């Protein structure tokens, strides 16, 4: 059974991929890009170190432009990130022969996060199963598991080399003359998995 798993190279999406393999799935990691930057390469590097297949799916720049409009209008990135995540899931779910899609959203996430009606809608519209391995896990459990499994780099978002939606969104905001620190939290930390702590 193959599952296409949205992947940034961070600890949540990496832990989810590991759990999926333990459940018996053949996991293909998928990183979304808008083609502005090649930051997807950080996710590919991590995927290779962890031993997973990886592919890049390109979304239309118009989606990122609309997300930037939202972030500027709102003065925060929440709706923009949610919008991109939903479009990313739809793009993967609509790919030929995709039967299962997955992401690393957690129990306590607010954004991005699909509530039950949106999750069911995704499954019904694209005839896929939507799997969230971390949905029942809290922050402490996820931290314990990732510290046990992975070598993890944690740095401020502006400094960390990573492959999530936020990187290209920040880049586009700068292109428009908007300082991302006026939109995003000033001290926000994110993670990138560098490899296995102990190969399992």
């Amino acid at each position: 059974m193959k599952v296409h798993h949205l992947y940034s190279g961070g600890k949540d999406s990496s832990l989810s991929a590991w759990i999926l393999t333990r459940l018996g799935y053949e996991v293909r990691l998928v990183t979304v890009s808008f083609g502005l930057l090649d930051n997807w390469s950080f996710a590919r590097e991590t995927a290779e170190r962890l031993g997973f297949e990886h592919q890049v799916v390109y979304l239309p720049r118009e989606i990122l432009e609309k997300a930037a409009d939202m972030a500027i209008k709102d003065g925060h990135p929440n709706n923009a990130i949610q919008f991109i995540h939903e479009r990313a899931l739809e793009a993967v779910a609509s790919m030929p022969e995709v039967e299962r899609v997955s992401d690393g959203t957690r129990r306590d996430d607010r954004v991005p996060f699909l509530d039950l009606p949106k999750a069911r809608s995704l499954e019904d519209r694209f005839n896929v199963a939507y799997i969230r391995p971390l949905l029942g896990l809290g922050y402490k459990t996820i931290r314990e598991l990732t510290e046990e499994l992975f070598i993890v780099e944690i740095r401020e978002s502006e400094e960390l080399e990573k492959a999530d939606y936020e990187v290209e969104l920040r880049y586009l905001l700068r292109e428009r003359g908007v300082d991302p620190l006026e939109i995003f939290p000033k001290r926000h930390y994110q993670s990138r998995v560098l490899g296995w702590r102990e190969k399992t």
Side-chain angles (χ1 to χ4, degrees), residues 108-175:
D108 302 321
D109 281 342
R110 288 181 290 174
V111 170
F113 188 84
L114 268 63
D115 62 17
L116 186 56
K118 284 187 175 181
R120 285 178 171 164
S121 173
L122 178 73
E123 291 185 324
D124 292 344
R125 284 182 291 130
F126 297 96
N127 193 30
V128 296
Y130 175 41
I131 306 166
R132 292 183 277 189
L134 303 187
L135 193 58
L137 303 183
Y139 172 76
K140 288 182 180 179
T141 303
I142 291 169
R143 185 183 63 197
E144 287 173 353
L145 288 170
T146 53
E147 287 177 356
E148 182 78 18
L149 289 168
F150 307 122
I151 299 166
V152 181
E153 177 183 20
I154 298 175
R155 301 177 69 179
E156 286 193 33
S157 297
E158 283 282 303
E159 300 172 0
L160 185 67
E161 293 180 327
K162 60 188 188 301
D164 66 11
Y165 317 131
E166 189 178 306
V167 176
E168 286 181 297
L169 181 55
R170 286 175 183 259
Y171 181 86
L172 181 57
L173 289 170
R174 287 191 198 94
E175 270 196 347

Side-chain angles (χ1 to χ4, degrees), residues 30-191:
V30 181
T31 300
V32 165
S33 174
F34 295 95
L36 274 69
L37 302 168
D38 63 357
N39 60 306
W40 55 263
S41 64
F42 301 120
R44 172 157 293 170
E45 184 179 300
T46 297
E48 288 173 354
R49 290 178 183 176
L50 298 181
F52 288 101
E53 288 184 53
H54 180 265
Q55 73 183 92
V56 181
V57 171
Y58 290 94
L59 297 187
R61 179 174 171 139
E62 291 75 28
I63 291 173
L64 189 65
E65 296 279 2
K66 185 170 181 179
D69 292 341
M70 290 178 175
I72 292 167
K73 179 184 176 185
D74 296 341
H76 60 78
N78 293 8
N79 292 328
I81 297 294
Q82 180 71 25
F83 174 74
I84 295 171
H85 189 68
E86 290 179 19
R87 302 295 83 74
L89 284 168
E90 291 169 352
V92 175
S94 67
M95 289 164 46
E97 299 181 9
V98 170
E99 297 178 350
R100 300 165 199 87
V101 295
S102 176
D103 64 26
T105 53
R106 305 169 300 178
R107 180 189 74 192
D108 302 321
D109 281 342
R110 288 181 290 174
V111 170
F113 188 84
L114 268 63
D115 62 17
L116 186 56
K118 284 187 175 181
R120 285 178 171 164
S121 173
L122 178 73
E123 291 185 324
D124 292 344
R125 284 182 291 130
F126 297 96
N127 193 30
V128 296
Y130 175 41
I131 306 166
R132 292 183 277 189
L134 303 187
L135 193 58
L137 303 183
Y139 172 76
K140 288 182 180 179
T141 303
I142 291 169
R143 185 183 63 197
E144 287 173 353
L145 288 170
T146 53
E147 287 177 356
E148 182 78 18
L149 289 168
F150 307 122
I151 299 166
V152 181
E153 177 183 20
I154 298 175
R155 301 177 69 179
E156 286 193 33
S157 297
E158 283 282 303
E159 300 172 0
L160 185 67
E161 293 180 327
K162 60 188 188 301
D164 66 11
Y165 317 131
E166 189 178 306
V167 176
E168 286 181 297
L169 181 55
R170 286 175 183 259
Y171 181 86
L172 181 57
L173 289 170
R174 287 191 198 94
E175 270 196 347
R176 292 187 177 188
V178 177
D179 182 355
L181 292 178
E182 295 176 3
I183 306 283
F184 288 87
K186 289 183 172 50
R187 295 189 69 81
H188 182 240
Y189 291 87
Q190 289 185 306
S191 67

